């Protein structure tokens, strides 16, 4: 799992607009794609909206989360991530963050 404030994949930005991307995201994606075992997921914020994209080269899931600063009063935007040895990640979302399960790309 990689944690980043800034979005690392263009399709993980709101409406795939690319406005919240890391300036050298292409270089970072190239490193991830060449890894012997690419990460199961990249978790980030910065765009403040829920977006889920999968890199078609590496199979890495890129997840962008909403900001807890921008939810309704008395609401929440958080999650607990459970990681399993087989690469499965189970996200238990709260409030504005949905719950779902993702799997490592097939090798």
């Amino acid at each position: 799992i990689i944690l980043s404030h800034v979005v690392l994949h263009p399709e993980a930005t709101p409406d795939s607009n690319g406005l919240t991307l890391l300036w050298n995201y292409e270089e970072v994606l190239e490193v991830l794609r060449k890894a012997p075992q690419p990460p199961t997921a990249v978790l980030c914020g910065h765009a403040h909206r829920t977006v889920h994209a999968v890199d078609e080269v590496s199979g890495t899931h890129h997840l962008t989360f909403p900001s807890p600063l921008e939810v309704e009063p008395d609401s929440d935007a958080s999650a607990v991530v459970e990681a399993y040895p087989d690469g499965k990640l189970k996200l238990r979302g709260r409030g504005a963050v949905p719950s779902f399960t993702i799997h490592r790309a097939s090798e």
Side-chain angles (χ1 to χ4, degrees):
I1 300 171
I2 294 177
L3 305 175
S4 173
H5 176 77
V6 182
V7 181
L8 303 182
H9 195 288
E11 292 178 18
T13 62
D15 304 319
S16 297
N17 64 21
L19 295 178
T20 56
L21 276 172
L22 182 69
W23 66 272
N24 65 337
Y25 77 92
E26 292 113 335
E27 294 172 43
V28 174
L29 286 178
E30 191 61 32
V31 169
L32 299 180
R33 290 169 176 163
K34 288 182 178 178
Q37 184 174 329
T40 299
V42 174
L43 310 179
C44 58
H46 194 64
H48 297 195
R49 289 186 33 207
T50 303
V51 184
H52 178 198
V54 179
D55 183 78
E56 54 189 49
V57 176
S58 67
T60 298
H61 294 260
H62 290 259
L63 305 159
T64 305
F65 293 102
S67 170
L69 299 173
E70 296 179 357
V71 298
E72 295 296 320
D74 299 320
S75 188
D76 195 1
S78 63
V80 172
V81 178
E82 299 172 359
Y84 295 87
D86 64 356
K88 177 176 81 173
L89 297 177
K90 185 182 238 181
L91 284 85
R92 291 187 292 127
R94 292 181 42 172
V97 178
S99 295
F100 55 93
T101 301
I102 59 175
H103 300 272
R104 181 180 319 181
S106 299
E107 297 178 20

